[in-house]
Amino acid sequence: MRIHILGIAGTFMGSLALIAKQLGHQVTGQDQGVYPPMSTQLDEQKITYTKGYKAIDMPKADLFIIGNALSRGNECVEEILSKQYHYTSGAQWLSEQVLRNKWVLAISGTHGKTTTASMLAWILDYAGYNPSFLIGGVVEDFGVSSQLTDSNFFVIEADEYDTAFFDKRSKFVHYHPKTLVINNLEFDHSDIFDSLKDIQKQFHHLIRTVPNEGLIIHPASHQAIDDVLKQGLWSADQVLPVEQLTPTKIGSSFKVDGSRVDWHLLGEHNMQNGLSAIYAAHHVGVPIDVACKALNQFKGVKRRLEIKHQTEHITLYDDFAHHPSAIQTTLKGLRTKVGSDPIVAILELRSNTMKSGVHQQSLVDALTTADRVLILRPANQDWNIEELFDQSVLFNSVDEIVKTLSHVQKGHLVVMSNGSFDDIFKKLIKHL
């Protein structure tokens, strides 16, 4: 079958493209913004795509899979509707063509999904389960963001964002997991949700799809999650234990049921991600000690405090930051490791929620761990960012940020964005 994917460079759709190709389909695509690591992955897999959404660039196809970034008025969407071409959403196609009759292990939550799903896929692979997976980031241990095997187990990053312009349910409603992790639950995606209650409603739709022999794994004393579970629960649930995190020379360490994880990752948030992955794997039969041994060898995920450049006195990191809580935990984890060394946070407010100003004070609080903060002034913001940050923090272009950072002699520079940030690393590395 010839499948054309609109929005193919997105983390979900790009991963979907790999699975479609593995199934033997002829896959092509289009997207507006194409940048690493997804563009690199598509190129390596020899999946062809064009940039932009011109209808003339759409090839003949048996099926068009439309990403949720596209809406009415898009030239390709209008062409598909006018010509009555066969189309569907990525989540629905995956559900119908791949996930049916699989033991689905879904990782949901406001943040930590990619990392936790990557840990879980690695544990299952280490334990010999040979899992399929679809994750919103390139997993260092596998070199790709998705793979399809003949295993009964499928690990998926379960996103609460809407499915498509014609299906406003959250994508994860399509996945029907038997093992469900809810990492955390906070307000996000202000472009499609009006309140935390709106998001909780979608999470309860997800909970309704978990069979009674299934398992829901979640942290203790998380009010927003507890409120959702109180609306109705038809399967077993497991509360994660509270463990003590110990800093080490290489990263951090914590105990789990008599076994120990000793890894290079930092921060309480990664310990929580690890615990979720361990107990999700245990639900399908992986012993706790085997899961811990697997995590001791876990390499990580691209763009999660990934070191991009390092000299004797300066380390440059790439971090996929999209929410104040994630920013805060990342910086706190780094502070624990580097002690009093200077930390510089370089931030692009790219997500709709961050640009909307919903998290104004929590953003300020999240950045307090850094010794210095540089923020690219967001275009078309809905609030006055100057009320929170003075002119020494705000910059009008990446070139201005690079010029300022070129004088830094020592420290840890953390670039935080869920986009390309105008190719900031290529520009920065030249000057460091």
Side-chain angles (χ1 to χ4, degrees):
M1 178 182 283
R2 293 168 301 176
I3 296 177
H4 189 67
I5 299 177
L6 295 168
I8 195 168
T11 54
F12 174 73
M13 299 297 270
S15 303
L16 195 78
L18 268 63
I19 286 178
K21 185 178 179 182
Q22 280 189 266
L23 284 172
H25 299 298
Q26 181 182 332
V27 182
T28 55
Q30 286 174 251
D31 209 321
Q32 193 71 50
V34 184
Y35 50 84
M38 296 311 293
S39 60
T40 305
Q41 178 173 264
L42 291 170
D43 293 339
E44 288 175 348
Q45 298 297 320
K46 295 181 171 53
I47 295 173
T48 60
Y49 56 87
T50 56
K51 295 182 180 180
Y53 290 118
K54 296 291 185 183
I56 195 171
D57 292 331
M58 286 198 306
K60 289 183 179 179
D62 301 301
L63 176 66
F64 293 87
I65 301 180
I66 302 176
N68 63 2
L70 283 79
S71 57
R72 288 302 305 267
N74 177 282
E75 190 174 317
C76 292
V77 168
E78 297 304 320
E79 179 77 0
I80 289 168
L81 295 177
S82 296
K83 298 291 178 62
Q84 295 185 307
Y85 293 148
H86 184 202
Y87 68 91
T88 188
S89 68
Q92 186 168 348
W93 180 86
L94 186 71
S95 176
E96 294 173 351
Q97 302 299 320
V98 181
L99 300 183
R100 232 163 22 112
N101 303 319
K102 295 278 189 185
W103 183 319
V104 176
L105 300 97
I107 310 297
S108 68
T110 307
H111 34 83
K113 294 185 293 293
T114 300
T115 302
T116 307
S118 301
M119 291 174 182
L120 177 55
W122 171 242
I123 291 170
L124 293 180
D125 187 77
Y126 179 91
Y129 283 67
N130 190 30
S132 300
F133 61 82
L134 190 154
I135 297 168
V138 177
V139 188
E140 295 278 15
D141 300 270
F142 297 101
V144 290
S145 63
S146 64
Q147 74 174 18
L148 187 63
T149 70
D150 57 5
S151 167
N152 185 43
F153 302 101
F154 197 108
V155 177
I156 189 163
E157 179 175 331
D159 185 12
E160 72 271 24
Y161 210 81
D162 61 1
T163 300
F165 76 88
F166 51 89
D167 183 354
K168 305 316 282 184
R169 295 172 296 171
S170 291
K171 287 202 291 285
F172 58 36
V173 174
H174 292 274
Y175 300 154
H176 305 148
K178 190 172 181 179
T179 306
L180 171 63
V181 170
I182 307 177
N183 267 343
N184 39 66
L185 188 45
E186 299 181 52
F187 182 66
D188 199 7
H189 307 308
S190 62
D191 53 324
I192 61 170
F193 295 117
D194 292 328
S195 66
L196 178 59
K197 279 192 173 182
D198 285 346
I199 301 174
Q200 288 174 308
K201 182 177 181 180
Q202 293 296 324
F203 269 83
H204 198 250
H205 290 333
L206 173 62
I207 286 170
R208 291 180 187 185
T209 68
V210 180
N212 55 23
E213 70 270 23
L215 178 67
I216 299 173
I217 300 165
H218 59 93
S221 304
H222 193 299
Q223 190 61 54
I225 296 175
D226 293 342
D227 289 345
V228 173
L229 297 175
K230 287 174 184 175
Q231 295 177 34
L233 184 63
W234 297 270
S235 58
D237 75 310
Q238 180 171 354
V239 178
L240 292 174
V242 178
E243 303 291 351
Q244 183 70 38
L245 185 68
T246 305
T248 66
K249 288 183 178 180
I250 65 163
S252 61
S253 178
F254 60 94
K255 285 185 177 180
V256 189
D257 196 27
S259 298
R260 179 172 287 278
V261 174
D262 192 358
W263 58 6
H264 71 283
L265 298 185
L266 307 173
E268 296 274 346
H269 63 301
N270 274 321
M271 180 179 69
Q272 289 296 315
N273 295 337
L275 287 168
S276 294
I278 288 167
Y279 283 101
H282 189 57
H283 186 222
V284 304
V286 179
I288 297 292
D289 64 320
V290 173
C292 290
K293 289 176 183 176
L295 290 185
N296 288 338
Q297 298 181 30
F298 179 68
K299 293 178 182 176
V301 187
K302 285 188 178 296
R303 304 201 67 196
R304 270 61 181 183
L305 208 60
E306 176 189 1
I307 295 177
K308 300 290 285 187
H309 181 74
Q310 196 164 28
T311 65
E312 186 178 353
H313 300 294
I314 292 176
T315 305
L316 176 64
Y317 306 84
D318 182 9
D319 196 67
F320 190 86
H322 76 288
H323 191 280
S325 294
I327 292 170
Q328 185 174 51
T329 52
T330 295
L331 293 177
K332 281 186 174 180
L334 183 60
R335 173 59 72 201
T336 301
K337 180 181 181 182
V338 305
S340 59
D341 284 2
I343 294 177
V344 181
I346 304 111
L347 184 65
E348 179 187 28
L349 306 181
R350 188 172 180 273
S351 73
N352 289 305
T353 307
M354 293 279 268
K355 287 193 293 187
S356 72
V358 170
H359 295 304
Q360 292 184 39
Q361 188 54 51
S362 57
L363 177 61
V364 174
D365 296 340
L367 293 165
T368 55
T369 303
D371 298 286
R372 188 176 182 186
V373 176
L374 290 78
I375 299 176
L376 180 64
R377 195 188 305 269
N380 306 316
Q381 78 246 31
D382 301 327
W383 52 292
N384 188 5
I385 194 171
E386 287 81 3
E387 292 180 356
L388 293 181
F389 302 101
D390 61 39
Q391 295 303 315
S392 65
V393 171
L394 300 171
F395 295 81
N396 293 317
S397 70
V398 166
D399 290 335
E400 287 182 14
I401 292 174
V402 170
K403 184 178 179 181
T404 301
L405 291 173
S406 64
H407 302 295
V408 173
Q409 300 296 314
K410 179 183 178 182
H412 299 264
L413 281 56
V414 187
V415 176
M416 314 186 90
S417 170
N418 63 343
S420 63
F421 211 155
D422 192 22
D423 209 12
I424 190 171
F425 290 103
K426 187 176 181 180
K427 296 176 180 179
L428 254 181
I429 291 169
K430 282 183 181 179
H431 293 84
L432 292 177

